[in-house]
Amino acid sequence: MGCTSSMYAVGRKKKKLIVPEVVVFVPSMPIPVQSDLQRPLRGLIPKDLADRLSCIRNQIVLVAEDTGGSAITELRRALEEYLSILIGLVKKEYGLEGLIEFKWKNLVDGRHEMCASNSWYELLSVIRLMAMLTLSEADSILIPKDLSGSGIRVVSSDCKRDAVDLLLKAAGYLEFCVRDVLVRIPPDIRKRFPKDLHDGVLEAISIQALGQGTEIQLGLAVECQKATLSVKRRLACEQLSYFSQAYQCLSGCDMDADNGYGKKHLWFIKWKFLGAKGNEPSGHVTAVCCFLAAEQLLSESKKACLNFCLAAPVTRAPPLWGAMKHLHQKIPEVASRKSQMYGYLLEQENALQVLPDLPDFQLSLRPDDYQLPQIDPAWDGEKWEVQGQPLKDHLKDSEDEIETE
C-alpha cells in the first residue's frame, strides 16, 4: 500500500505559483452582485425596460466572475449599454432614485463591500469599474513581451502611446466620479463607503494615472535622440509633481488601517514618488549633493518597490526601462565619481549642501473630459403604458391610495 501511495504521489503535479507582473497598479476590481431590479420597478416602468436593465446587469456579473475581469472589451460594451439605461433611474422626474438596493463586491476576495438603495451609488460604481478596466487594459499592454522569440521582452512605442491614452481616459472617468457623482450621494450613505470609494482615493488614482502617463512620455523622451535636455527635465519635474499630489491624497485617507489593497496602493505611489525624485543639476558642489541624494532616493525607491511587491497580493515589478533604467545605471556611478573628485568642496561650502528647489512647471497632462452617454430612448415616458394605463396616471393613482390610507 505504501508503494502504491508513493507511486500516485510521484505522479501528482504541483500547481505552479504565478506571481503577476504589475506596471499600472489597479487598486481593486469591483463587480456588481446580482440584485432584484424587477420587483421594485414592477408597475412603474414598462416590463421590457426593467427586463433589459436586469438582464444587462446580470450579464456583467457573469462575465466579470467567469473571466476575472479580463474580458475588458465585452465588459466595457455591456457597461456602456447598461449605463444608458441606468441614467433613467437618477432622473428626478421619474422618482425612482431610491427604489432599488444595489450590491457590489470586490472581485478578488469575493467579499460584499457595499449595498445601498441609491441609483447614484450604482452610477458611481459602474463608472469606477470602467476606470479600473481601462487601467487594467493599460497595464496589460505595458507588460513586456518576447514577440521575436529572442528572449528579450520589450514594449513597442505604439503600445506605450496607446497606454498614455488609456491612462488619460481612466483619469477622466475618476475625475467625473469625484466632481459630478459623489456630490449627489447623501452623506449618510457615503459614510458607509469602503475606503476605495472615498473621494481622496479616487482622486489619488486619477492623479496616479496622469503621473504614469508622464512617466511613459519621459521614458520615450530618454530613448529619443532628438529630445532635448530641457524637455526631459520638464517631464521629470511634472512626473514628480503628479506622484507627490497622489501620495498626499492617499496619505490623508488612513490607508495603513485598510486590510485590503490600501497598503499595497500606498507603497506603489511611494515607490513611484521616490523614483521620480532623481534629477541632474549643474555646478560641481550642487551636483555632488544632488547625485548623492538621488542615490539615496533610488535606494529607498528599491525598498518601496520591494514592499509593494510583497504586500498582499504578491506581485512582480516589470524590468527597468526608459528614465529609470538610465538613472539606475548612471546615478550610482556618477555619484561615486563626483564625490571623489569634489568631495573636499562639500567640507568647504557647507551652506551649498541644501538641495535646490525644482522648477514649478505647469502640468501638461489633463484627464479626458468624460460625459455620460445619451439616455436610452426607451425612457421616453410619453409612450409608456403600464398595466393598460399611462404611467403618469398610474403614479397619480398610487399617490391617491397613499393619501387615502
Side-chain angles (χ1 to χ4, degrees):
M1 290 179 67
C3 294
T4 305
S5 300
S6 300
M7 179 179 67
Y8 281 106
V10 170
R12 191 182 299 127
K13 293 183 179 179
K14 291 184 178 180
K15 187 177 180 180
K16 186 178 180 181
L17 179 64
I18 300 176
V19 179
E21 196 169 304
V22 172
V23 180
V24 177
F25 179 59
V26 183
S28 64
M29 186 68 74
I31 63 169
V33 178
Q34 287 192 352
S35 306
D36 186 1
L37 274 63
Q38 292 164 309
R39 184 181 300 176
L41 296 173
R42 188 177 298 157
L44 297 176
I45 66 174
K47 185 177 183 299
D48 58 343
L49 181 57
D51 288 345
R52 277 184 64 202
L53 191 70
S54 180
C55 180
I56 298 172
R57 194 178 193 276
N58 289 337
Q59 178 189 350
I60 294 168
V61 173
L62 293 173
V63 173
E65 290 184 340
D66 289 347
T67 66
S70 61
I72 295 174
T73 303
E74 187 176 353
L75 280 171
R76 183 184 290 122
R77 189 184 305 116
L79 286 166
E80 289 173 351
E81 184 180 358
Y82 177 63
L83 200 56
S84 67
I85 304 176
L86 177 64
I87 292 172
L89 295 181
V90 302
K91 295 287 185 181
K92 286 186 177 180
E93 56 264 34
Y94 297 118
L96 306 172
E97 184 178 328
L99 286 180
I100 304 171
E101 183 180 62
F102 295 100
K103 300 177 183 178
W104 285 72
K105 69 179 181 181
N106 191 309
L107 178 62
V108 176
D109 57 20
R111 133 181 97 87
H112 286 254
E113 285 191 344
M114 177 72 189
C115 60
S117 298
N118 185 276
S119 298
W120 283 106
Y121 163 68
E122 177 78 350
L123 190 74
L124 171 69
S125 301
V126 169
I127 299 175
R128 173 174 165 245
L129 175 53
M130 292 169 65
M132 297 302 112
L133 289 172
T134 306
L135 290 175
S136 182
E137 185 178 2
D139 177 64
S140 66
I141 65 176
L142 287 173
I143 299 293
K145 298 173 181 66
D146 179 15
L147 300 177
S148 63
S150 62
I152 301 175
R153 298 192 303 145
V154 296
V155 180
S156 70
S157 297
D158 288 340
C159 283
K160 293 171 186 174
R161 294 187 183 95
D162 290 342
V164 173
D165 292 337
L166 289 169
L167 289 166
L168 297 182
K169 188 175 182 180
Y173 287 140
L174 294 165
E175 184 184 59
F176 182 84
C177 287
V178 174
R179 184 190 64 213
D180 296 308
V181 184
L182 269 175
V183 293
R184 300 176 185 270
I185 300 175
D188 61 313
I189 295 179
R190 291 178 61 178
K191 285 179 181 178
R192 297 189 284 114
F193 278 179
K195 281 192 172 64
D196 50 10
L197 274 180
H198 290 186
D199 52 357
V201 176
L202 296 175
E203 187 177 359
I205 303 171
S206 177
I207 299 171
Q208 166 196 322
L210 299 178
Q212 290 203 262
T214 308
E215 180 184 18
I216 295 170
Q217 290 182 331
L218 175 59
L220 290 169
V222 169
E223 294 175 349
C224 177
Q225 294 182 350
K226 294 182 180 180
T228 63
L229 184 60
S230 61
V231 169
K232 298 173 188 175
R233 189 173 188 227
R234 179 185 181 115
L235 288 170
C237 291
E238 290 184 20
Q239 178 191 350
L240 176 59
S241 181
Y242 283 124
F243 285 125
S244 176
Q245 291 178 34
Y247 187 72
Q248 289 174 8
C249 286
L250 212 56
S251 298
C253 296
D254 191 23
M255 301 305 286
D256 286 330
D258 188 6
N259 294 323
Y261 276 54
K263 289 183 180 179
K264 191 173 184 71
H265 190 191
L266 194 60
W267 276 116
F268 180 80
I269 298 293
K270 188 172 184 178
W271 165 35
K272 292 296 180 180
F273 170 65
L274 290 170
K277 291 187 76 172
N279 62 85
E280 301 179 29
S282 59
H284 295 316
V285 176
T286 306
V288 174
C289 293
C290 289
F291 273 111
L292 290 175
E295 186 178 31
Q296 183 179 352
L297 286 169
L298 282 180
S299 177
E300 293 178 10
S301 173
K302 290 177 183 178
K303 292 178 183 177
C305 177
L306 180 60
N307 284 324
F308 162 71
C309 291
L310 294 178
V314 176
T315 51
R316 292 184 296 134
L320 294 173
W321 74 280
M324 291 309 297
K325 182 178 180 180
H326 171 74
L327 292 175
H328 275 73
Q329 291 174 345
K330 183 174 182 179
I331 284 180
E333 175 191 348
V334 176
S336 175
R337 188 174 69 248
K338 284 189 177 290
S339 61
Q340 291 176 6
M341 293 173 61
Y342 304 108
Y344 68 96
L345 292 176
L346 291 175
E347 299 176 2
Q348 299 175 9
E349 303 183 43
N350 291 326
L352 293 179
Q353 293 186 35
V354 178
L355 295 178
D357 292 331
L358 293 175
D360 186 17
F361 291 111
Q362 184 177 358
L363 300 178
S364 303
L365 292 186
R366 292 284 184 272
D368 284 353
D369 185 23
Y370 175 71
Q371 299 291 332
L372 288 174
Q374 293 293 322
I375 190 171
D376 192 284
W379 283 100
D380 186 358
E382 296 298 326
K383 300 177 182 178
W384 285 0
E385 287 190 3
V386 182
Q387 297 177 352
Q389 66 180 132
L391 176 66
K392 292 180 179 179
D393 293 342
H394 175 83
L395 293 176
K396 186 177 184 300
D397 290 346
S398 299
E399 291 174 357
D400 292 341
E401 290 176 6
I402 295 172
E403 291 176 1
T404 302
E405 293 176 358

